[in-house]
């Protein structure tokens, strides 16, 4: 049961406060923010914070915190899934999500929360039905509301409520029929100082953008369907056929939706190699880091960023990078090395020194967090083999794109 929801800005200000059962004081947000200020990175914060009176469950997306204070026995995964589902609905409505968008559309958000959740339980999470009930905001609609005081909530019952396929509109019609799939794979890994993989896992998802008229029936096949073992499917997928044949047979929702998610263990081809040598001693520190591609002869590695934590007592830095730019946060003393697209003609290299107090004592190992992205590449080897469409007479445009990116990717440093 989701008793309440608080949406906090990146500075800890409460933007949205909603209660379904009982009422929790806002002081719980202040208690939560005390824990936030104690960590350098939000990824290090425990998703469940235990207090004498509440369990505080939270997620962090788009520089916003979605928080619920729970005092009764509730499955944590239900709360996290509700947070993510609410976030996805808001993204679908507003195309983006930040503090300004929430302030400008707070009335629409409250209406959505009333329709999505009743008595603490999720009752309506299909975007198509929600858009039939609560019209998405637009400039023309805002002007009309200001002039005529028109109500943004529809008085008619959505067609999907009485349909056997509630996730799809019956009257979908497009001049150009098309459907596209995006396969995202995120690599979580810990690499030790000897460049050996300590742990690695892969989480993937397939997102679709469907703009098909009528009521199409699709079948999606894969080259290595045995990889889809630990998988979560959208409600539109026929589960029995998937278990029997390992194919995805479904009538798709209209618009953007997440078709499935999957997780894989074992070893994978990591597309990038990072060799860091960092030492912090009394008075000074040395930094030497090189980045090279692996298994990527014909693929471009883009959006490469390294986050290098320096001691909080760092006085000054002198760093030089052969590629990219260097930014140091004065509050957290975290160095952000933005490489961007990996060059083919030279190896990105960062070196330099930092100034530390003479009484500095190094009592922890340095761990670097990396970000990267490789388009048209699947680290797991899972690929779409074909897509067949039945129930309609037209031939739509189809496309598939694979993207491999870093998830929680950490590299332990070697002492110089």
């Amino acid at each position: 049961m989701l008793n309440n929801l608080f949406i906090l800005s990146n500075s800890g200000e409460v933007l949205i406060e909603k209660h379904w059962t009982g009422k929790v004081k806002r002081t719980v947000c202040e208690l939560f923010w005390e824990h936030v200020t104690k960590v350098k990175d939000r990824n290090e914060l425990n998703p469940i914070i235990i207090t004498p009176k509440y369990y505080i469950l939270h997620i962090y997306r788009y520089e916003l915190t979605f928080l619920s204070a729970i005092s009764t026995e509730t499955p944590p995964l239900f709360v996290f899934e509700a947070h993510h589902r609410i976030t996805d609905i808001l993204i679908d409505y507003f195309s983006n999500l930040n503090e300004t968008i929430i302030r400008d559309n707070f009335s629409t958000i409250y209406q959505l929360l009333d329709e999505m959740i009743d008595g603490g339980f999720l009752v309506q999470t299909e975007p198509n039905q929600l858009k039939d009930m609560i019209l998405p905001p637009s400039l023309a609609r805002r002007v009309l509301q200001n002039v005529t005081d028109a109500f943004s909530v529809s008085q008619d019952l959505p067609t999907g409520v009485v349909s056997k396929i509630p996730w799809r509109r019956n009257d979908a019609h497009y001049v150009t029929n098309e459907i596209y799939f995006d396969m995202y794979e995120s690599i979580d890994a810990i690499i030790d100082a000897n460049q050996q993989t300590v742990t690695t896992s892969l989480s993937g998802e397939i997102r679709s953008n469907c703009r098909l008229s009528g009521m199409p029936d699709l079948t999606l096949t894969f080259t290595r369907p045995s990889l889809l073992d630990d998988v979560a499917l959208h409600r539109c997928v026929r589960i029995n056929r998937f278990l029997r044949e390992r194919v995805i047979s479904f009538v798709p929702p209209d618009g953007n939706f997440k078709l499935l998610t999957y997780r894989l263990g074992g070893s994978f081809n990591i597309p990038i190699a990072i060799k860091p040598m960092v030492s912090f001693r009394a008075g000074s520190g040395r930094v030497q880091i090189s980045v090279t591609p692996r298994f990527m002869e014909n693929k471009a590695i883009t959006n490469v960023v390294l986050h290098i934590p320096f001691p909080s007592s760092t006085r000054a830095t002198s760093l030089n990078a052969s590629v990219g730019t260097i930014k140091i946060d004065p509050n957290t003393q975290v160095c952000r090395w933005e490489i961007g697209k990996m060059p083919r003609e030279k190896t990105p290299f960062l070196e330099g020194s930092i100034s530390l107090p003479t009484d500095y004592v190094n009592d922890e190992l340095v761990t670097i967090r990396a970000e990267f992205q490789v388009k048209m590449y699947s680290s797991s080897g899972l690929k779409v083999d074909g897509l067949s469409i039945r129930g309609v007479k037209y031939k739509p445009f189809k496309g598939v794109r694979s993207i491999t990116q870093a998830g929680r990717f950490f590299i332990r440093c070697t002492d110089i």
Side-chain angles (χ1 to χ4, degrees), residues 182-188 201-207 222 227-228 230-233 258-265 268 378-380 382 403-405 407:
D182 287 331
M183 297 179 57
Y184 290 93
E185 292 188 343
S186 298
I187 301 175
D188 298 335
S201 64
L202 184 145
S203 57
E205 64 181 31
I206 299 179
R207 292 184 173 271
F222 300 92
L227 293 174
L228 294 176
D230 185 1
V231 61
L233 304 171
K258 185 187 298 184
L259 181 61
L260 61 86
T261 60
Y262 57 93
R263 289 190 62 85
L264 300 173
F268 310 97
S378 173
S379 184
S380 66
L382 181 68
I403 299 176
T404 295
Q405 59 192 5

Side-chain angles (χ1 to χ4, degrees), residues 124-142:
Q124 181 56 269
T125 60
E126 289 299 332
N128 291 323
Q129 291 190 21
L130 288 171
K131 288 179 180 179
D132 286 342
M133 292 185 289
I134 302 173
L135 302 178
S138 65
L139 181 59
R141 191 167 292 118
R142 287 179 181 175

Side-chain angles (χ1 to χ4, degrees), residues 353-366:
S353 61
I354 65 173
S355 177
L356 296 171
T358 55
D359 58 349
Y360 172 77
V361 178
N362 188 10
D363 55 356
E364 61 181 16
L365 296 175
V366 180

Side-chain angles (χ1 to χ4, degrees), residues 111 135 145 148-155:
Q111 292 170 4
L135 302 178
Q145 289 178 358
T148 64
D149 293 330
F151 198 43
S152 62
V153 179
S154 174
Q155 303 301 313

Side-chain angles (χ1 to χ4, degrees), residues 7-8 20-21 45 48 80 82 105 119 122 151 204 237 241-242 277 280 334 384 389 399 409 412:
I7 301 180
L8 279 61
W20 288 278
T21 59
L45 190 63
I48 302 177
F80 292 137
N105 301 277
L122 291 171
F151 198 43
V237 177
R241 186 175 178 186
F242 171 76
M277 293 186 291
F280 299 140
V334 174
V384 173
I389 302 179
F409 197 95
R412 296 171 180 170

